[in-house]
Amino acid sequence: MDNWDEIRTAFQVARLGTVSGAAEVLGVHHATVIRHIDALEGRMGVKLFQRHARGYTATEAGTDLMRVAQTTDDQLQQLEGRIKGRGNAVAGELLVTSLISFAPLMVPALKTFRARYPDVIVRFLTDDRVFRLEYGEAHVALRAGPAPQEPDNVVQAFSRQDIAMYAHRDYVEAHGLPEDEAALKDHYFVGHDDPDSRAPFQRWLTARVPYDRIVFRTTDTRVSETAVIGGAGIGFLGTREASRHPDLVQVMPPREDWTAPLWLVTHVDLHRTAKVQAFLSHLKEFCGEASAR
């Protein structure tokens, strides 16, 4: 196919379902979008879209073309991410991802990194999904749990997230503390909304406490931490985060089976770039200093 602009236009129309949406994303006039679609259909001799009042829907031929266009677009984004990460200057965008629960570590680390390298623009994205480094979605990922296995990624053991059980002093005054593990079933807990959550400490808790004792449930670790700090029940926090709240009482100390190993993950094509290496060194240094405090 000689004209990638036409394919790219068709891809956006198929993705968004309207000419106006594709025009906005591509930064062109809607007439240009229509012209590209008409030209592409004329060249291929098939209809790629069904036109209707609500917009455009891809035909079977259009869907086949869009699959190829999607792959090409992904590959171009991957190439763009690699090119942006190259160079000897520690400058431009640095895109880092992690779970939101690591924000108390990552935000100050990124702040001090920017103070050291003021030409860097930090982008810190948090999501439960695993960002695809091979498609340029991030330069550095901090992940917890089993070691990542993607073949094109460089994986480095980083640290560990020590997890303990805590309650606010207000909760302790109202309900006391469990004397032992067997007494946990008589208390109230903050926990995950999904009883089948894969978090090691959540699995440990649901094996020992009836689920109806988890009276404050959420899918967001920020909410669960806020609930424990607010006295809604006993719950799990990282020891680093809990140390910032003097009114928290440690109900049970960290356990090995609650602990999550942490990994720094980079793509092999970006791992040796100056920007990525500078940040990896800074983060390790920052984490070491934070642990010493």
Side-chain angles (χ1 to χ4, degrees), residues 248-270:
L248 287 179
V249 177
Q250 191 175 97
V251 178
M252 292 182 67
R255 292 172 53 107
E256 187 63 33
D257 51 348
W258 298 346
T259 298
L262 304 183
W263 310 92
L264 289 173
V265 187
T266 56
H267 192 269
V268 65
D269 290 342
L270 297 179

Side-chain angles (χ1 to χ4, degrees), residues 62-273:
T63 300
D64 286 343
L65 180 64
M66 293 318 108
R67 290 195 186 101
V68 175
Q70 175 72 72
T71 300
T72 305
D73 189 68
D74 287 344
Q75 290 173 341
L76 289 173
Q77 289 186 35
Q78 177 184 0
L79 176 62
E80 181 182 5
R82 293 176 186 175
I83 291 172
K84 286 180 178 179
R86 293 188 178 124
N88 296 321
V90 183
E93 285 189 355
L94 174 71
L95 206 165
V96 179
T97 74
S98 79
L99 294 172
I100 188 62
S101 57
F102 299 122
L105 167 66
M106 299 300 290
V107 169
L110 288 164
K111 175 187 173 183
T112 51
F113 182 71
R114 259 210 31 75
R116 182 176 292 182
Y117 300 103
D119 292 331
V120 169
I121 296 172
V122 167
R123 295 181 63 200
F124 178 40
L125 305 185
T126 59
D127 202 313
D128 287 340
R129 77 177 180 90
V130 176
F131 284 80
R132 299 169 69 184
L133 304 187
E134 69 273 21
Y135 286 107
E137 290 188 341
H139 295 108
V140 179
L142 177 62
R143 297 180 184 169
Q149 299 297 319
E150 296 91 345
D152 292 331
N153 288 343
V154 178
V155 178
Q156 301 179 64
F158 175 54
S159 182
R160 50 186 278 153
Q161 184 186 35
D162 288 329
I163 303 291
M165 186 183 288
Y166 293 91
H168 191 273
R169 293 189 188 280
D170 291 346
Y171 175 90
V172 175
E173 289 177 7
H175 304 284
L177 288 171
E179 295 180 359
D180 52 30
E181 194 173 299
L184 290 174
K185 66 182 186 301
D186 299 321
H187 284 266
Y188 301 106
F189 291 86
V190 175
H192 203 283
D193 190 54
D194 180 3
D196 297 320
S197 167
R198 294 177 297 171
F201 50 84
Q202 185 70 36
R203 291 202 303 267
W204 183 93
L205 181 66
T206 53
R208 291 162 177 80
V209 173
Y211 193 60
D212 61 7
R213 303 303 290 183
I214 301 177
V215 297
F216 194 111
R217 305 173 187 177
T218 179
T219 58
D220 193 318
T221 56
R222 293 168 295 185
V223 176
S224 62
E225 289 175 2
T226 301
V228 174
I229 294 167
I234 299 173
F236 296 92
L237 277 79
T239 53
R240 182 182 289 110
E241 172 65 16
S243 67
R244 298 185 173 95
H245 303 279
D247 288 333
L248 287 179
V249 177
Q250 191 175 97
V251 178
M252 292 182 67
R255 292 172 53 107
E256 187 63 33
D257 51 348
W258 298 346
T259 298
L262 304 183
W263 310 92
L264 289 173
V265 187
T266 56
H267 192 269
V268 65
D269 290 342
L270 297 179
H271 179 69
R272 290 295 176 190
T273 59

